[in-house]
Structures are given as structure tokens and as C-alpha cells.
Amino acid sequence: AQSVTQLDSQVPVFEEAPVELRCNYSSSVSVYLFWYVQYPNQGLQLLLKYLSGSTLVKGINGFEAEFNKSQTSFHLRKPSVHISDTAEYFCAVSNFFGNEKLTFGTGTRLTIIP
Amino acid sequence: DTAVSQTPKYLVTQMGNDKSIKCEQNLGHDTMYWYKQDSKKFLKIMFSYNNKELIINETVPNRFSPKSPDKAHLNLHINSLELGDSAVYFCASSRSGAGELFFGEGSRLTVL
């Protein structure tokens, strides 16, 4: 079985400051990792994904994440946040590639303070 | 032109009623899903269909019955609604092996 832990349920950050949202996973086999963003009253949208290759993955809206196998982490980062980044962020893991059964974390609410 | 569309967007109903949510995708994907998001924002997969065939069926009460008439449609019928069924239900689709799900905007179900 696989699981995802997002330790921070809420993260307030000042505008133009950097941010890191933490994600740790557990799985007995190889994993594929994802970050999704959910804006208020909307569905989820893919920010970035790690399938294989380079451990540093770049996504949309200036976000990036680094896959760290030894620490079983996939933290999301952005060097300078904007008001429009206010949203709920979900980390997800799959080890069933081709049958995208994603297991989601409980989400982190990112609030940008003007 | 919406890629994954769900109807209705909001649904308020009484306990014991039966209701359906419909989902359609125009992305040409071969796999569709239903996810449930509870009041704490926790997302959990309920069902997945690949080419109209049920491939994932999590531990969901059998009051929930999905139906896929074709690859582009996946409907969810819920019988004898209970208070605990109140949630946002998300439909999603993917192309097998692509590693990305495309979500609809959700259907917020409130059971009174």
C-alpha cells in the first residue's frame, strides 16, 4: 500500500517570498509523484509530475519539485509567490502506472499575504 | 469548450432519495474516474473505468453504482442517500500511461 503525508495543513506566506510545501510518501515499489493545485470552487489541475529521469521537475506557474528517494520526499517550491497562488495544493503518488490510481495527501492550503 | 464536464454542479436533496451525476470528457481519453472529496478536502478514488470496463472499485457502499455507456461518459448513481454522502464528487479522465488526470469542476452534493 502507498500513502502520502502533507505535514502542513496551512501555510501563510508574504507576497514575493519563497515557499516550500512538504510532501512525504511511503511505498514498497517504485513511485510516480504528482502535485495538483485546486483553486476555489474548481477542479484539480496538474502542476508537475515526476515519472523518471531528472529528480528536479519544473511545472507550470514557476513551481518546481525535487524527488528525493532516500528521504522519500517530493517537496514543492516556488522562489517568489503571487496573490494568484492562493489555493489548495495536493501531493499524490501512484505505483500503478498506466492505471493512474492516485493516492492523495490531505492537502496544504497556501495563503498569500499582501 | 470544457474538457471534462459534470452535471449538475450543485445538488441538494433529502435523505433517502436517489440521484445521479453525469460526466462527459471530450479529450479522447480511454480511462475515467470518480473521486470523492470530503469536507476536510480529502480526496479518495471511488471507481475507474477503462474503455467502459470497471477496473477500480474501492470500498464503496453498493448504493453507489457507476455506469459507462461509452468511453466519453461516466455517470454515478446513488441510491438511498445518507447524510454522510454529502461531499464534492469529481470526475476525471486520463489517457492510459500518460500519468496525468484531468478533473472536472466537481459536483457538490448536500444531503439534508
Side-chain angles (χ1 to χ4, degrees):
Chain A
Q2 59 206 19
S3 66
V4 178
T5 301
Q6 293 181 248
L7 289 171
D8 306 307
S9 60
Q10 295 187 66
V11 173
V13 179
F14 284 103
E15 195 173 11
E16 298 184 7
V19 69
E20 179 179 82
L21 305 183
R22 297 182 293 168
C23 173
N24 289 87
Y25 68 91
S26 71
S27 175
S28 56
V29 296
S30 297
V31 293
Y32 307 96
L33 295 154
F34 307 82
W35 275 99
Y36 281 82
V37 60
Q38 184 178 25
Y39 298 105
N41 298 314
Q42 293 188 28
L44 280 75
Q45 178 184 0
L46 182 71
L47 267 181
L48 47 79
K49 60 186 177 185
Y50 171 78
L51 305 179
S52 65
S54 173
T55 57
L56 183 63
V57 180
K58 293 191 184 298
I60 62 171
N61 300 341
F63 284 93
E64 64 180 32
E66 185 148 23
F67 171 56
N68 188 320
K69 190 174 180 179
S70 62
Q71 296 189 4
T72 61
S73 68
F74 190 55
H75 300 333
L76 181 71
R77 295 190 291 259
K78 186 170 182 178
S80 174
V81 295
H82 302 284
I83 290 286
S84 59
D85 293 323
T86 295
E88 194 89 23
Y89 291 79
F90 292 92
C91 182
V93 63
S94 168
N95 58 14
F96 226 70
F97 196 56
N99 183 8
E100 280 74 54
K101 178 185 172 182
L102 296 185
T103 298
F104 284 88
T106 48
T108 298
R109 174 169 291 279
L110 176 62
T111 301
I112 309 303
I113 305 165
Chain B
D1 202 15
T2 307
V4 181
S5 59
Q6 302 177 225
T7 54
K9 200 167 181 178
Y10 299 96
L11 191 52
V12 181
T13 188
Q14 301 283 337
M15 269 175 48
N17 284 349
D18 303 337
K19 290 294 176 187
S20 292
I21 307 171
K22 297 186 175 183
C23 178
E24 176 181 4
Q25 55 96 2
N26 62 7
L27 298 167
H29 290 163
D30 53 5
T31 308
M32 295 185 72
Y33 311 77
W34 279 111
Y35 276 82
K36 179 181 179 180
Q37 186 175 47
D38 64 22
S39 58
K40 296 184 179 177
K41 299 279 188 177
F42 183 62
L43 269 159
K44 188 168 164 46
I45 191 167
M46 300 172 69
F47 303 102
S48 173
Y49 272 75
N50 179 266
N51 287 316
K52 302 195 298 175
E53 183 183 339
L54 181 65
I55 53 172
I56 295 175
N57 185 352
E58 293 294 286
T59 310
V60 177
N62 55 19
R63 298 182 295 103
F64 290 78
S65 50
K67 193 165 287 186
S68 181
D70 56 57
K71 282 197 321 182
H73 295 84
L74 179 62
N75 303 323
L76 182 65
H77 187 76
I78 315 170
N79 288 325
S80 304
L81 279 157
E82 300 177 358
L83 292 176
D85 297 333
S86 294
V88 181
Y89 293 84
F90 284 100
C91 177
S93 72
S94 71
R95 180 170 52 83
S96 291
E100 177 179 357
L101 267 63
F102 288 78
F103 284 83
E105 293 193 340
S107 297
R108 181 177 292 277
L109 171 65
T110 303
V111 182
L112 303 175

